[in-house]
Amino acid sequence: MAYKYYKDNRTYIEALKRTGDLIEITDEVDWDLEMGAIVRRVCEKKAPAVFFKKIKDYPGFTAFGAPIATYRRLAVSFGLDPETSIPDISKEYLKRTMGEPIKPKILDKKDAPCKEVVITGDKVNLFDLPAPMVHDGDGGRYIGTWHFVVAKDYDTDFVNWGMYRQMVYDEKTMVGPVLAFSDMGKMFYNKYVPRNIPMPFATVINPDPLSAIASCAPSPISEAEFTGMLMGEPVELVKCETCDLYVPAHAEIIIEGVVLPNVTLEEAPFGEYTGYRTSPRDKRTVYRVTAITMRKDPIMAISNMGVPTDEGQLLRSFSLGLEMERMLKDQGIPVTGVFMLPESTHHFVVVGVKPIYANIATQIGQLVFGSKLGPWFHMVMVVDDKTDIYNKDEIIHALCTKCHPSRGIRIEEHGVGTPLNPFASPEERLYGRAPKVVFDCLFPPEWPTSMVPIKVSFDNVYPKDIQEKVLSNWKRYGFKD
Ligand SMILES: Cc1cc2nc3c(=O)[nH]c(=O)nc-3n(C[C@H](O)[C@H](O)[C@H](O)COP(=O)(O)O)c2cc1C
């Protein structure tokens, strides 16, 4: 059964307009910093997404900024009411991705809007696309900020979609970081580079929202099939012009080519999802372009990484947290919920658990840090099942009252991290080393019941009949909420 969703960004943009989550800018805006500055402020103010109707130097193009930088827009992406709560959006994601993977459907090229314009050979010129200069201080114009890269494993049919940033280097070249522990990094560095064989790729710019969500989710399922699960029916793909890969037929712009083995070019700096500019200009992975295909009136996309909250933080926190919940439950841990705070730039996760045995918090830390998800974050806080993991006041209260400053803080010195951790020393960043910490906010189960401190809250220390009486009279007393 198909769920409610948007097949392309055009219908999604219309939906955002209807819910009051989109602002259209009709003034001409400059791709050189102005567009970026607007989108940055949108993220920092948690303002509506933005649609730019006129871009300087690029007649015929429009652009879409901050596509899913709020939970309201995330809810709309799933076809839900924008007011849907975070736990309810989470339930929807888990429900849709519980069943069997759904294989994509292949369309004829004539039925694929992303093939309305096809450019190959000498005519290919990346500067014909309105790639924005996103932040002042960036090393170049970033064409890939709201996109994903399609690549296929060398030995098997496994196809990966992943969002890995891409900077325009020259007319036919892009460059960007491909981290060795990412799925594409594992394929490329383990299989293509040792054989010195170029790896075909396709960059999908401005995909439909569910394909984009799938591409930045750390799911073990091939993302095209994972997208099908999110949609409740097959995602529609079409074959590339110059390689054997398939891309979403309803996307706005496709860039095809090969990733070159054993060649690097300089990339960055770039304003990153941690809210800092951390990576220095350095030699990174090279994408050589062989074709561009697009719609007749293509919509460019821009996500602006920086201080919270942008797509990198919101979507990664959302899917990292929920995939963690799934993994812990698969291991039989009595987890009651997992929430990764987007404001933590997906570095801090709160796990609710029934504290039925000693040191369960340590076990949770070992499982999540030891998993595929581990390199992306370094702080786990474990709370009991009575703590509201979505309530920051309750989280701070639990941390400051239940976590013993020496016994309750467990540090693992030798973890895998990313080169982007602002707190890490330059050497730790270079080698992706990061310590990890667990905050155990559970009272030890071996304490005698009479010695366990009692939480003094409305819910906990009044008889049910008194609570109900107060609640039913609350508004009549004159209080609002
Ligand atoms: C807007 C945005 C930009 C991102 N840029 C990068 C990047 O440049 N490099 C990277 O390794 N991951 C980046 N990520 C995170 C990856 O998308 C994420 O790790 C994803 O799960 C990659 O897929 P994989 O698990 O198949 O490797 C970005 C995520 C988002 C939402």
Side-chain angles (χ1 to χ4, degrees), residues 438-459:
V438 175
F439 299 102
D440 182 346
C441 303
L442 303 170
F443 290 135
E446 63 271 18
W447 284 1
T449 316
S450 61
M451 295 308 290
V452 177
I454 292 165
K455 188 170 165 188
V456 183
S457 65
F458 176 79
D459 291 350

Side-chain angles (χ1 to χ4, degrees), residues 1-217:
M1 184 205 66
Y3 297 113
K4 191 160 179 238
Y5 72 95
Y6 301 99
K7 212 172 225 180
D8 62 18
N9 253 313
R10 295 171 182 230
T11 45
Y12 173 58
I13 287 167
E14 285 306 313
L16 292 179
K17 222 192 278 185
R18 284 196 298 276
T19 59
D21 289 278
L22 186 94
I23 298 284
E24 287 182 313
I25 297 187
T26 47
D27 293 1
E28 179 178 274
V29 292
D30 198 332
W31 54 266
D32 188 4
L33 296 179
E34 188 184 4
M35 225 156 69
I38 295 168
V39 179
R40 181 92 291 282
R41 191 158 157 81
V42 161
C43 291
E44 292 177 20
K45 305 285 275 178
K46 296 192 183 359
V50 55
F51 189 73
F52 299 106
K53 294 191 112 170
K54 223 167 156 194
I55 306 171
K56 183 168 172 252
D57 305 329
Y58 289 93
F61 282 89
T62 52
F64 180 34
I68 316 186
T70 61
Y71 285 110
R72 281 180 64 87
R73 303 209 274 283
L74 183 59
V76 176
S77 303
F78 280 92
L80 301 172
D81 185 281
E83 297 288 338
T84 309
S85 68
I86 305 171
D88 284 346
I89 310 173
S90 305
K91 274 191 208 131
E92 186 72 18
Y93 172 95
L94 289 172
K95 180 187 87 186
R96 293 189 187 189
T97 55
M98 209 166 57
E100 289 299 308
I102 299 179
K103 289 211 179 305
K105 175 177 167 190
I106 308 304
L107 293 195
D108 245 32
K109 287 187 180 176
K110 66 175 177 21
D111 299 323
C114 71
K115 299 281 188 187
E116 285 168 0
V117 177
V118 175
I119 304 164
T120 54
D122 280 352
K123 295 209 178 71
V124 168
N125 183 353
L126 291 169
F127 293 107
D128 288 341
L129 303 176
M133 188 74 185
V134 181
H135 320 92
D136 197 14
D138 285 353
R141 294 171 67 177
Y142 277 81
I143 196 158
T145 62
W146 186 245
H147 68 302
F148 56 79
V149 184
V150 181
K152 188 159 161 278
D153 185 63
Y154 184 78
D155 300 316
T156 70
D157 283 339
F158 186 84
V159 174
N160 183 65
W161 295 359
M163 224 175 250
Y164 313 107
R165 77 182 187 218
Q166 291 171 316
M167 187 187 95
V168 177
Y169 188 85
D170 64 26
E171 287 82 350
K172 291 185 176 53
T173 314
M174 303 186 292
V175 56
V178 178
L179 300 179
F181 58 73
S182 68
D183 284 348
M184 190 166 105
K186 285 179 202 150
M187 286 178 185
F188 182 60
Y189 298 116
N190 277 343
K191 305 216 174 161
Y192 287 87
V193 171
R195 292 174 168 98
N196 204 22
I197 291 175
M199 179 175 80
F201 80 91
T203 294
V204 179
I205 296 177
N206 224 349
D208 67 88
L210 293 184
S211 293
I213 289 169
S215 78
C216 46

Side-chain angles (χ1 to χ4, degrees), residues 265-277:
L265 286 170
E266 296 217 316
E267 187 251 9
F270 185 60
E272 287 153 355
Y273 73 88
T274 61
Y276 296 89
R277 193 188 294 148

